[in-house]
Amino acid sequence: MEKTRPLWSNPLQFVFACISYAVGLGNVWRFPYLCQMYGGGSFLVPYIIMLIVEGMPLLYLELAVGQRMRQGSIGAWRTISPYLSGIASVVVSFFLSMYYNVINAWAFWYLFHSFQDPLPWSVCPLNGNHTGYDEECEKASSTQYFWYRKTLNISPSLQENGGVQWEPALCLLLAWLVVYLCILRGTESTGKVVYFTASLPYCVLIIYLIRGLTLHGATNGLMYMFTPKMEQLANPKAWVNAATQIFFSLGLGFGSLIAFASYNEPSNNCQKHAIIVSLINSFTSIFASIVTFSIYGFKATFNYENCLKKVSLLLTNTFDLEDGFLTASNLEQVKGYLASAYPSKYSEVFPHIKNCSLESELDTAVQGTGLAFIVYTEAIKNMEVSQLWSVLYFFMLLMLGIGSMLGNTAAILTPLTDSKIISSHLPKEAISGLVCLVNCAIGMVFTMEAGNYWFDIFNDYAATLSLLLIVLVETIAVCYVYGLRRFESDLKAMTGRAVSWYWKVMWAGVSPLLIVSLFVFYLSDYILTGTLKYQAWDASQGQLVTKDYPAYALAVIGLLVASSTMCIPLVALGTFVLHHLKRGDAAPMA
Amino acid sequence: MLWLLFFLMTAIHAELCQPGAANAFKVRLSIRTALGNKAYAWDTSEEYLFKAMVAFSMRKVPNREATEISHVLLCNVTQRVSFWFVVTDPSKNHTLPAVEVQTAIRMNKNRINGAFFLNDQTLEFLKIPSTLAPPMDPSVPIWIIIFGVIFCIVIVAITLLILSGIWQRRRKNKEPSEVDDAEDKCENMNTIENGIPCDPLDMKGGHINDAFMTEDERLTPL
């Protein structure tokens, strides 16, 4: 009896799997940053245009390829053309899964630490003789200290490796065990898990929205961030970043979408699903940025009011004014009076008076792990019942991260389980176990003291250029090598619906052009920047400093980019050579 | 003569307690910040209480058990509410060394705070750093307990899933041989029962007659 391909139990599982994979941490920590940097409300214009022009067509293409070829990325590409192999996707997915699960490990760490009163990142630890707070913590803030010292125990530079920290290592191990548990049985187990990983983050986001909007000062953040700055529409960087965000947010090119779609019934309406998934993904980004901006507003207002209080206290103490006399409203007035009445004393204390500004607090734009683990925790520690909010928040981060990890591992496992050689020797539990084990072992690098610097290298370079190239080759291969007409008739035969002219125009013309322009832009950006730099944490100053990458780090970056991009031409060359050798063998026999 | 003595006393007092004098400490209270609406006014009775608390603290120091409230001198009370104080010895000619006063205040800071409903941030003795309360350090960090619980649950779940997978696979491998056994049994039964064909028989060994509709199909699906 032929082993049938496992299928999703119902189309809803497939949609949830795609949503769970596409809606990830990038929606929460990258989109609000871009929105803030490139004109607030007006950033939505390039974003939605790119969604319609680039996101939906490419997503539909990948899902259609997967559903038609009914194999993982390697098999699917080989069916399109024998010279192509999806191994580049697998390599990129492998790099991604190596470092991405470290984020889940950090989320676990923070989640476990949320069950304490007070929250460990809300107070600085005491110094040696208990007369004051730890020096590093005083210079930075307690949330930064907890992140850089307690969680990462970061070293001052990339060169100083340090040893593997056992606490993050344990959390990483747990993260991989959880991922293994979810992918153990293939679509059978993954299909059930994605119900949770797709829907629970929305529950938490809604709860946070309600809480965020009712926080004091939330409206400050919302108004400031969403006020459209129309002049940014003329900035080409805004458009490039919108395109990039759509591209990476949907997770195209990794092979995960092909893998998910390959478990579909052939008659599945993947056009509808592509539109639904991309719309939900973008909607989630906007929704998450509303929550983020209200939290920003709260944090900025809180810090601004604290700053005012500190200035008031300083003036009250210096001039022995009555306690409670200085308020936010009369501060400027009184400052003017004091400057005129006691000029010498005022000039003494003047350098210490900080200029408190709400705008400068709101202007601090943060993205990535800094936003998730420093800014958000700073806001959470000031809320009431902060333990509850902290647990909810990190649980949501976990769900988002694990959802994306399921897609990543599916991209690696599907080609492996499809290949007859491997799946005949090992059951799929063992293959999944091996993949998780190898990734976990390599991931221990990111738990060393310099681990966060390596994490940043992988985050910035492992997937960016290679993905653009992979999706470009995919689009061109489907349209021109396989043939757009042939693909269209395949889809029509499979789903029973014709492919509209819009998709054909996008696939054949617009999207490849867009990807080429993005690719050119990135390359020129890298070349123009010269040496690559990174942000290192300086414990003595309590802030980040910029440093140059050492030579071997640059070599690793080059290797990362090259190993995935070179796969495509190398495999083509290899197949060509083998083909010729076979023909050479066959000819004399004939 | 008495007037002279009185002037002398106040002069000595003035000399002993002065802003920046030797062994003098500045105290700063932020009553409105701490208590808001329930703030009390700072008057001479409160000052008396303060002197009493300082005298009480000094009494706890060995060799100073004879300190009286009148030995504590306050001066330069401002609107802030801040003032300076010194503690004199019984002869009222010298002030007690700063180190002793410091130790005494540090040891009893909590009592002094409590007497005024204030805390370390709102009742400050400048130059006397308060000992910050050490954080509660449980013997086993809480996060390890939660980590351990979740770790064990995940391991158990993985083991169960793997075992059930192996069990299912073993059952599938046994089924072809089970089919053969059943067929043998069928042939035997064929001779015993009267010719019920074996194929429709449920492999688990039940005797279901397929001619009748099963439970599920009795109700027409929607």
Side-chain angles (χ1 to χ4, degrees):
Chain A
M1 193 175 68
E2 180 74 45
K3 207 165 85 165
T4 52
R5 191 174 183 76
L7 292 173
W8 300 109
S9 313
N10 55 52
L12 196 65
Q13 277 190 358
F14 167 63
V15 176
F16 270 29
C18 289
I19 293 176
S20 170
Y21 168 66
V23 173
L25 295 163
N27 300 66
V28 171
W29 74 30
R30 173 97 179 134
F31 181 79
Y33 169 78
L34 289 176
C35 203
Q36 191 184 347
M37 293 293 285
Y38 294 110
S42 60
F43 182 71
L44 291 177
V45 172
Y47 187 70
I48 293 182
I49 291 179
M50 286 299 161
L51 172 69
I52 298 176
V53 162
E54 184 200 0
M56 285 190 200
L58 289 174
L59 182 64
Y60 182 26
L61 181 72
E62 260 199 49
L63 291 183
V65 165
Q67 194 170 307
R68 165 72 186 84
M69 310 302 175
R70 313 212 61 208
Q71 292 182 69
S73 54
I74 297 185
W77 283 49
R78 204 175 301 133
T79 317
I80 293 177
S81 154
Y83 290 107
L84 289 176
S85 166
I87 197 134
S89 290
V90 177
V91 171
V92 174
S93 286
F94 187 67
F95 288 151
L96 186 78
S97 55
M98 264 198 271
Y99 78 83
Y100 200 83
N101 221 13
V102 181
I103 305 175
N104 287 333
W106 292 331
F108 266 123
W109 169 265
Y110 270 84
L111 180 67
F112 295 150
H113 277 88
S114 307
F115 290 97
Q116 288 171 337
D117 180 33
L119 288 173
W121 53 82
S122 58
V123 284
C124 275
L126 303 176
N127 61 13
N129 50 2
H130 283 210
T131 53
Y133 296 114
D134 185 286
E135 201 186 307
E136 190 182 346
C137 196
E138 289 271 279
K139 296 219 177 82
S141 65
S142 54
T143 45
Q144 281 181 315
Y145 176 79
F146 188 75
W147 169 244
Y148 285 111
R149 190 51 49 214
K150 287 286 156 96
T151 312
L152 301 174
N153 197 13
I154 206 162
S155 62
S157 74
L158 186 78
Q159 286 92 325
E160 292 151 60
N161 262 330
V164 170
Q165 315 287 311
W166 65 270
E167 296 104 336
L170 274 185
C171 292
L172 183 65
L173 183 67
L174 179 64
W176 273 111
L177 283 175
V178 170
V179 169
Y180 180 53
L181 178 65
C182 299
I183 62 174
L184 185 49
R185 288 293 200 80
T187 50
E188 193 188 310
S189 51
T190 312
K192 305 226 174 27
V193 172
V194 293
Y195 282 130
F196 295 107
T197 57
S199 48
L200 280 179
Y202 287 102
C203 297
V204 178
L205 272 176
I206 292 176
I207 297 175
Y208 252 91
L209 181 74
I210 301 174
R211 172 77 268 221
L213 289 176
T214 53
L215 282 171
H216 167 64
T219 38
N220 291 341
L222 282 172
M223 278 193 317
Y224 186 73
M225 311 292 184
F226 275 124
T227 320
K229 301 178 189 64
M230 285 298 176
E231 62 275 7
Q232 285 287 345
L233 282 178
N235 183 1
K237 276 203 155 195
W239 292 87
V240 169
N241 274 306
T244 317
Q245 174 62 12
I246 289 275
F247 189 86
F248 291 119
S249 175
L250 286 172
L252 304 163
F254 285 103
S256 315
L257 294 164
I258 297 182
F260 280 153
S262 69
Y263 297 120
N264 266 342
E265 300 268 351
S267 56
N268 186 39
N269 184 3
C270 52
Q271 175 185 304
K272 183 173 79 169
H273 289 153
I275 296 179
I276 292 177
V277 171
S278 47
L279 280 177
I280 290 185
N281 183 46
S282 299
F283 165 72
T284 311
S285 292
I286 300 174
F287 187 46
S289 56
I290 298 180
V291 175
T292 306
F293 291 155
S294 44
I295 302 273
Y296 266 167
F298 165 70
K299 179 183 96 73
T301 312
F302 189 86
N303 286 347
Y304 170 66
E305 287 176 359
N306 255 12
C307 177
L308 284 179
K309 275 197 206 131
K310 278 205 196 113
V311 172
S312 310
L313 191 65
L314 181 64
L315 287 175
T316 313
N317 285 344
T318 320
F319 295 99
D320 276 328
L321 304 166
E322 192 186 326
D323 178 35
F325 172 63
L326 273 176
T327 59
S329 39
N330 64 8
L331 183 62
E332 288 303 313
Q333 231 182 347
V334 174
K335 263 166 69 172
Y337 163 70
L338 288 171
S340 52
Y342 308 96
S344 56
K345 223 177 177 186
Y346 191 77
S347 55
E348 261 178 38
V349 86
F350 186 68
H352 301 287
I353 298 181
K354 274 178 27 174
N355 240 344
C356 296
S357 151
L358 187 58
E359 263 82 44
S360 64
E361 291 284 340
L362 286 169
D363 256 336
T364 52
V366 195
Q367 58 161 337
T369 49
L371 170 60
F373 295 109
I374 300 180
V375 171
Y376 255 96
T377 47
E378 196 178 320
I380 289 175
K381 77 173 178 32
N382 297 325
M383 297 187 200
E384 284 113 51
V385 201
S386 37
Q387 282 80 9
L388 170 68
W389 300 109
S390 178
V391 168
L392 273 180
Y393 172 67
F394 288 109
F395 188 64
M396 176 186 80
L397 279 193
L398 260 181
M399 290 289 109
L400 290 173
I402 290 187
S404 301
M405 275 308 292
L406 294 180
N408 289 335
T409 43
I412 305 173
L413 282 176
T414 309
L416 288 177
T417 47
D418 284 345
S419 116
K420 313 253 180 326
I421 318 163
I422 303 180
S423 60
S424 55
H425 288 290
L426 292 169
K428 66 173 182 283
E429 285 95 343
I431 304 178
S432 327
L434 265 172
V435 169
C436 290
L437 191 68
V438 170
N439 274 319
C440 187
I442 302 180
M444 289 295 164
V445 171
F446 302 111
T447 58
M448 295 196 302
E449 284 183 24
N452 195 42
Y453 302 129
W454 290 107
F455 175 84
D456 282 333
I457 288 183
F458 271 72
N459 197 18
D460 290 335
Y461 302 108
T464 35
L465 273 180
S466 350
L467 275 184
L468 287 170
L469 193 65
I470 290 174
V471 177
L472 181 67
V473 172
E474 202 176 320
T475 321
I476 293 179
V478 170
C479 292
Y480 299 108
V481 176
Y482 189 76
L484 188 58
R485 263 185 242 280
R486 190 172 153 202
F487 190 61
E488 184 195 357
S489 60
D490 278 347
L491 285 182
K492 192 159 178 197
M494 197 170 65
T495 62
R497 285 175 204 85
V499 176
S500 127
W501 60 269
Y502 174 74
W503 303 117
K504 288 189 275 190
V505 167
M506 289 296 139
W507 289 341
V510 179
S511 300
L513 279 175
L514 214 74
I515 301 176
V516 168
S517 50
L518 276 182
F519 195 73
V520 165
F521 177 82
Y522 268 104
L523 268 183
S524 54
D525 202 37
Y526 283 150
I527 295 173
L528 285 174
T529 322
T531 50
L532 298 169
K533 297 190 196 299
Y534 70 104
Q535 303 276 75
W537 177 253
D538 187 344
S540 53
Q541 288 180 43
Q543 60 181 19
L544 291 167
V545 293
T546 321
K547 291 201 175 150
D548 283 328
Y549 276 126
Y552 63 89
L554 291 173
V556 170
I557 294 176
L559 206 69
L560 274 178
V561 178
S563 53
S564 35
T565 48
M566 285 301 126
C567 280
I568 305 176
L570 279 177
V571 169
L573 197 66
T575 323
F576 185 68
V577 166
L578 277 173
H579 205 56
H580 258 246
L581 284 176
K582 270 203 208 135
R583 255 207 252 146
D585 284 339
M589 285 171 66
Chain B
M1 191 52 189
L2 254 126
W3 285 113
L4 206 64
L5 208 63
F6 181 66
F7 280 134
L8 209 65
M9 286 304 300
T10 42
I12 292 174
H13 268 215
E15 269 173 30
L16 287 175
C17 177
Q18 260 184 27
N23 304 332
F25 293 94
K26 183 167 182 186
V27 183
R28 202 149 59 196
L29 287 89
S30 312
I31 308 175
R32 184 112 16 110
T33 315
L35 300 169
N37 286 339
K38 304 199 196 87
Y40 49 80
W42 186 259
D43 51 15
T44 41
S45 323
E46 304 286 343
E47 286 181 22
Y48 190 80
L49 176 60
F50 183 79
K51 290 189 206 173
M53 292 306 297
V54 173
F56 160 76
S57 312
M58 289 311 299
R59 280 183 174 227
K60 299 276 184 177
V61 176
N63 290 336
R64 297 289 174 204
E65 286 91 345
T67 316
E68 297 289 333
I69 295 183
S70 49
H71 296 163
V72 183
L73 307 172
L74 264 60
C75 51
N76 272 62
V77 185
T78 66
Q79 241 190 335
R80 168 71 180 80
V81 183
S82 68
F83 48 83
W84 291 79
F85 79 93
V86 284
V87 187
T88 58
D89 62 355
S91 68
K92 299 209 180 147
N93 284 332
H94 313 286
T95 53
L96 294 185
V99 186
E100 280 188 27
V101 181
Q102 238 184 12
T103 339
I105 302 281
R106 277 184 91 175
M107 280 202 303
N108 299 289
K109 190 67 166 33
N110 274 349
R111 300 286 293 269
I112 305 178
N113 286 350
F116 291 99
F117 301 130
L118 300 171
N119 59 27
D120 280 341
Q121 276 77 44
T122 41
L123 172 54
E124 299 164 84
F125 285 78
L126 303 184
K127 289 195 289 171
I128 304 185
S130 45
T131 318
L132 298 165
M136 195 187 67
D137 228 354
S139 52
V140 179
I142 299 181
W143 77 270
I144 290 196
I145 301 176
I146 306 175
F147 169 83
V149 168
I150 304 218
F151 191 79
C152 290
I153 294 178
V154 170
I155 296 267
V156 167
I158 290 178
T159 326
L160 282 176
L161 275 182
I162 294 182
L163 285 178
S164 77
I166 297 176
W167 191 45
Q168 256 180 15
R169 216 169 288 128
R170 241 181 245 158
R171 259 203 339 182
K172 253 199 288 181
N173 286 342
K174 274 210 203 117
E175 264 182 32
S177 50
E178 272 181 14
V179 169
D180 297 334
D181 287 347
E183 279 184 350
D184 288 341
K185 278 200 211 129
C186 275
E187 280 171 4
N188 289 338
M189 278 192 237
N190 235 344
T191 54
I192 300 169
E193 314 257 339
N194 35 2
I196 301 170
C198 286
D199 291 348
L201 276 178
D202 192 348
M203 287 306 162
K204 290 203 190 103
H207 301 273
I208 297 176
N209 192 335
D210 255 13
F212 290 113
M213 280 196 337
T214 50
E215 282 288 316
D216 301 357
E217 289 167 37
R218 204 179 292 165
L219 304 163
T220 339
L222 288 163

